[in-house]
Amino acid sequence: LSERLELINLTIVSLASVDSMLADDDPRFPEWQRQLDGFVSTAYEDDEVTAAIDEILAEADVIRNGVIPPDPISFTLTGNEGTIDLNVGNRLDEPITVVLRLASPRLSFPDGDQTITLPPESTQTIQVPVRARSNGTSSVEVDILTPSGDPLIETVTLKSRVNSLTGLGQALTAGLVLILLTWWFSHWRRRRRAENAAADPA
């Protein structure tokens, strides 16, 4: 029974991850667990157990596949802070809870991972606060996970362009450049006068 017990334990872990998406009082996980506990008996043949477990996992996969991922959009951030609007859907006839995670080399996400409950058979617009780390173009990776941390979709890649050095930042930069040019021109004039004086002692 060792191989069967290993299969049952792996199945319970997978089902527990799906259960984290459901309401606290949802009866499916206790029922799944009750069925799996019964398969420990030698009264069941291995083929029977495997077929029954496949059926349970297929039921759980319907829940896993209920998430509709956001589109791989492109966006521009023109300040140090802003938001990204992501449309995440739920094709099931029941609410599910998921975790939204974003990562980018040029952006940070102050709210970190967001736990979201998606209403049934609808699409929800989720606003994700962002902060710019540096200017430039980069990718943003979007993952949707179960609350226990298992991935539910393939990673969606967004394209971001950060132009955070605008407004006051540009004015300050222009002022610094002007000061630098003024200093350089003054230094150049003093050096020319010194060279002329050295060349013409009279």
Side-chain angles (χ1 to χ4, degrees):
L1 292 174
S2 60
E3 291 184 3
R4 186 189 300 185
L5 288 174
E6 182 179 0
L7 175 60
I8 289 172
N9 289 333
L10 291 174
T11 302
I12 289 175
V13 171
S14 177
L15 295 175
S17 180
V18 172
D19 181 57
S20 68
M21 302 170 63
L22 305 175
D24 292 340
D25 58 351
D26 191 278
R28 277 169 286 190
F29 181 70
E31 175 60 23
W32 291 333
Q33 197 165 26
R34 185 192 63 77
Q35 294 180 54
L36 292 171
D37 289 343
F39 294 150
V40 176
S41 171
T42 55
Y44 294 96
E45 297 291 336
D46 288 342
D47 291 344
E48 291 180 275
V49 173
T50 300
I53 288 178
D54 287 344
E55 186 176 340
I56 293 172
L57 290 175
E59 185 180 349
D61 282 343
V62 172
I63 301 170
R64 285 182 177 274
N65 296 328
V67 177
I68 303 172
D71 293 327
I73 61 172
S74 299
F75 65 95
T76 300
L77 187 66
T78 57
N80 290 326
E81 298 182 353
T83 58
I84 306 173
D85 290 342
L86 297 178
N87 294 323
V88 181
N90 174 12
R91 57 173 59 92
L92 303 178
D93 60 359
E94 61 180 320
I96 51 176
T97 300
V98 299
V99 173
L100 181 66
R101 176 178 295 169
L102 282 76
S104 172
R106 294 188 184 274
L107 299 173
S108 63
F109 305 94
D111 289 355
D113 295 350
Q114 295 190 40
T115 300
I116 302 155
T117 298
L118 300 174
E121 298 179 338
S122 63
T123 298
Q124 181 176 352
T125 299
I126 302 167
Q127 289 191 330
V128 182
V130 298
R131 289 177 183 164
R133 291 175 175 167
S134 60
N135 286 351
T137 302
S138 67
S139 61
V140 177
E141 294 185 345
V142 180
D143 290 297
I144 298 178
L145 318 168
T146 69
S148 63
D150 289 338
L152 292 170
I153 64 167
E154 293 186 6
T155 299
V156 175
T157 302
L158 315 180
K159 292 182 179 179
S160 71
R161 181 173 182 81
V162 178
N163 295 326
S164 61
L165 197 61
T166 58
L168 179 61
Q170 286 183 341
L172 291 174
T173 300
L176 290 173
V177 170
L178 182 60
I179 291 172
L180 180 62
L181 290 175
T182 302
W183 173 86
W184 179 84
F185 182 70
S186 176
H187 176 73
W188 177 80
R189 289 187 63 185
R190 286 197 302 269
R191 188 176 65 178
R192 289 285 296 173
R193 289 173 181 171
E195 290 175 352
N196 291 336
D200 186 8

